[in-house]
Amino acid sequence: MSLNLESIVRKNIWNLAPYTCARDEFGEEKEVMLDANENSYGACINDDKLRLERYPDPGQLEIKQKLSALRGGGLKPENIFLGVGSDEAIDLLIRIFCNPGKDQIVQCPPTYGMYSVSAKTNDIGVVNIPLSEETFQLNVPAIIQAGKDKRIQFLYFIDFVFFSIKTMFRLTR
C-alpha cells in the first residue's frame, strides 16, 4: 500500500507553486545575483574558495547526496529533509498537514514544549494525554481512543530527551 500525499496535505499547500530563485534558473553562470542580496564586491575575508558573499544551496543537494550515500539502503536525496532544528520541522509538519481551526494533535506531557507552541500558533487544537505519574508510560488505550477522532492529525508521544531521562529513572530505582 502506498501513501497518497495529496490526500493528507492541506489543499492550499498542495496547490502552491514551489519557490524558485534566480540561482535555480541561471545556476552559477551569473556572477552576481542582485535579487538575492548577494554582495557584488565579494567577501570581506580574502579567500575566494569560501564564497561567503553567497547564500548556501537552498536545496542542500550536495549534503543530501552525501547523506544518502552514507546511509545507503536505497535512500534517495529527494527523500531527505534538512531543517534548522526540530522546531522548524515540527512547525512545518503542522502547517502542511493540519487545517487551522479544525484539526488537532495529541501530545503526552511532560514532553517537548514546541509541539503545543506550534499547534497553538497555527490555530490547531492540542489534546493532552499525560504519561503515567508512577511509571512514565504512555496511556495507550487513551491514545488509541484519541486517534479515532478524525480531527487528530498527529500523535506526538516520542521525545528522545524525555525517553533518555525516563530510562535513567528506571535504571536508578
Side-chain angles (χ1 to χ4, degrees), residues 66-131:
K66 289 180 180 183
L67 286 170
S68 68
L70 178 68
R71 177 67 171 92
L75 179 64
K76 298 176 184 173
E78 60 267 23
N79 294 334
I80 297 175
F81 170 81
L82 298 175
V84 185
S86 60
D87 294 1
E88 180 185 25
I90 291 165
D91 185 61
L92 286 172
L93 285 170
I94 289 174
R95 285 196 282 158
I96 292 168
F97 295 103
C98 297
N99 291 291
K102 177 183 171 194
D103 292 333
Q104 299 177 344
I105 65 165
V106 170
Q107 67 176 2
C108 300
T111 191
Y112 187 46
M114 280 308 292
Y115 300 140
S116 62
V117 169
S118 290
K120 291 175 184 177
T121 299
N122 290 289
D123 194 23
I124 303 301
V126 177
V127 175
N128 288 303
I129 301 176
L131 297 175

Side-chain angles (χ1 to χ4, degrees), residues 110 131 136-137 157-170:
L131 297 175
F136 292 105
Q137 297 298 307
F157 55 83
I158 300 299
D159 185 273
F160 293 106
V161 173
F162 184 72
F163 182 79
S164 300
I165 294 170
K166 179 174 74 171
T167 304
M168 283 188 340
F169 278 131
R170 255 199 221 133

Side-chain angles (χ1 to χ4, degrees), residues 1 4 8 10 20-21 46 57 64 71 82 91 94 101 110 114 117 121 143 150 160 163:
M1 181 172 117
N4 178 1
I8 60 174
R10 290 173 44 198
T20 62
C21 64
N46 195 14
D57 171 20
K64 286 178 180 180
R71 177 67 171 92
L82 298 175
D91 185 61
I94 289 174
M114 280 308 292
V117 169
T121 299
I143 293 169
K150 299 283 187 225
F160 293 106
F163 182 79

